[in-house]
Amino acid sequence: MSQQYRSRPLGSDVALSEAYDTALLDLDGVVYAGGHAIVHAVESLGSAREGGMHLAYVTNNALRTPDAVAEQLTELGVPADATDVITSAQAVARLMADQLPSGARVLVVGGEGLRVALRERGLVPVESADDDPVAVVQGFGGPDLPWGRFAEAAYAISRGAVWFASNTDLTIPGARGIAPGNGAAVEVVRIATGAEPQVAGKPLPPMHRETVLRTGAKRPLVVGDRLDTDIEGAFNGGVDSLLVLTGVTDAAQLIAAEPRYRPTYVDRDLRGLLTGQPEVSEDVDGFRCGGWTAGVRGEALVLDGGGDAIDGLRALCAAAWTHAGEGACGLDAQKAVARLDL
């Protein structure tokens, strides 16, 4: 395309697992939610791996170590080694090691994943602002993280410690729904101190750098459920992406997306790795995909036809993104989306 923005999801004549050498897969909302595998994930990833695609698991969740994540994946039926897992804890530890002397003390507000990553980079985790830390690192600590940990962070930052955060995802999907993520906890410390952290996780460059260094991917495909981390991270890294609708993002949010949040491909779930992707074509009636045609009438998006609902969503994205250009689409899409069983 000649535009500097994506105006429609792309098609692929071959399965995505053949078109790309490495899938950079988000975990929460893509592979599992609340400790349980998402439907079709295990079988789809197994088929992709058997076909020769390298699978790497890239998560903004800094709570657990790569070993622990790999063990959980294997128990779910997705064989993985620790080297297949890249976390925002590893990315932020590298970012900190580039700025701090070896042996520097770092106050940790988070879980074991952060502590292990810091030690790998020659940094020393401590628990109190009274331990004279030169830096504070904050990552997701799970639902039982004590409130006092935020106070320790605030004390240390107020005394001059440099503040880092693994990521700033405001929410995290779980078995019971959407819960506050590390970004919500970061806001607590930001409000208390007035400081701003250096952030490593998706969608920012340190996470992309860490992923490339650890996987050696040549033709990577980012696979995620979030527009503001997974898809924007792929956009910032200049690589293609697949959005799956098994996590945070819904159809209305996707249709309204501005350019940096628009994925290359869209599918229901990880079965999308194993198939080609249909073309979205333009004709006099609008944008056509499968048996659906989407267009703009007045201030609303309209959808006609029938067939696979995901094709209808692809057509709606093309109509909305083309209309919006370099901005976000503000057209009324409620009636059009209601026609789709997603």
Side-chain angles (χ1 to χ4, degrees):
M1 295 181 297
S2 60
Q3 302 101 318
Q4 296 303 307
Y5 57 87
R6 184 176 307 287
S7 63
R8 69 188 77 176
L10 294 188
S12 175
D13 293 333
V14 300
L16 298 183
S17 58
E18 298 176 21
Y20 299 90
D21 70 338
T22 305
L24 306 179
L25 295 133
D26 183 48
L27 288 173
D28 291 303
V30 176
V31 179
Y32 55 63
H36 300 284
I38 287 174
V39 64
H40 305 300
V42 172
E43 302 87 347
S44 299
L45 293 174
S47 295
R49 184 176 56 252
E50 290 170 5
M53 189 179 216
H54 178 212
L55 306 180
Y57 303 94
V58 185
T59 177
N60 262 0
N61 191 331
L63 177 61
R64 295 180 299 157
T65 66
D67 284 302
V69 174
E71 182 178 353
Q72 181 191 6
L73 287 169
T74 301
E75 290 175 352
L76 291 175
V78 182
D81 296 323
T83 54
D84 298 322
V85 179
I86 301 95
T87 74
S88 62
Q90 294 170 322
V92 77
R94 189 187 297 270
L95 180 65
M96 297 174 74
D98 287 344
Q99 301 179 37
L100 305 176
S102 179
R105 295 184 173 204
V106 178
L107 174 64
V108 176
V109 180
E112 186 63 16
L114 276 175
R115 294 177 177 85
V116 169
L118 290 173
R119 294 188 188 105
E120 288 178 347
R121 294 291 164 197
L123 303 173
V124 179
V126 299
E127 300 302 314
S128 171
D130 295 335
D131 292 327
D132 297 323
V134 298
V136 173
V137 64
Q138 191 170 355
F140 185 64
D144 300 321
L145 184 70
W147 187 259
R149 301 307 299 155
F150 304 142
E152 290 299 323
Y155 300 150
I157 293 166
S158 297
R159 296 172 188 175
V162 184
W163 184 23
F164 296 83
S166 64
N167 68 295
T168 52
D169 297 6
L170 291 173
T171 61
I172 186 168
R176 298 173 59 195
I178 303 300
N182 190 54
V186 166
E187 285 302 308
V188 172
V189 178
R190 191 200 310 269
I191 291 168
T193 64
E196 292 289 335
Q198 297 184 48
V199 183
K202 295 179 287 186
L204 298 173
M207 189 67 171
H208 182 71
R209 175 193 177 203
E210 191 72 20
T211 300
V212 170
L213 287 172
R214 289 182 180 267
T215 65
K218 302 301 183 184
R219 301 189 315 280
L221 177 70
V222 170
V223 184
D225 70 307
R226 302 181 68 110
L227 300 181
D228 60 348
T229 54
D230 305 315
I231 306 308
E232 186 180 7
F235 177 88
N236 290 340
V239 300
D240 289 346
S241 60
L242 166 66
L243 179 81
V244 292
L245 302 178
T246 50
V248 169
T249 301
D250 61 25
Q253 292 168 330
L254 176 61
I255 289 167
E258 58 187 271
R260 69 180 185 272
Y261 299 142
R262 297 173 187 169
T264 313
Y265 310 103
V266 180
D267 223 313
R268 279 188 181 83
D269 50 55
L270 287 176
R271 289 177 294 178
L273 285 174
L274 308 178
T275 64
Q277 297 286 307
E279 293 285 345
V280 181
S281 59
E282 185 175 9
D283 59 28
V284 294
D285 296 319
F287 294 88
R288 184 181 300 275
C289 187
W292 298 94
T293 300
V296 178
R297 293 179 193 162
E299 295 299 317
L301 287 169
V302 295
L303 184 66
D304 298 308
D308 189 343
I310 201 71
D311 286 340
L313 179 59
R314 293 173 179 128
L316 281 171
C317 286
W321 297 352
T322 299
H323 179 84
E326 297 183 20
C329 181
L331 295 172
D332 182 5
Q334 183 175 357
K335 290 184 179 179
V337 170
R339 296 199 59 195
L340 302 175
D341 182 19
L342 292 168

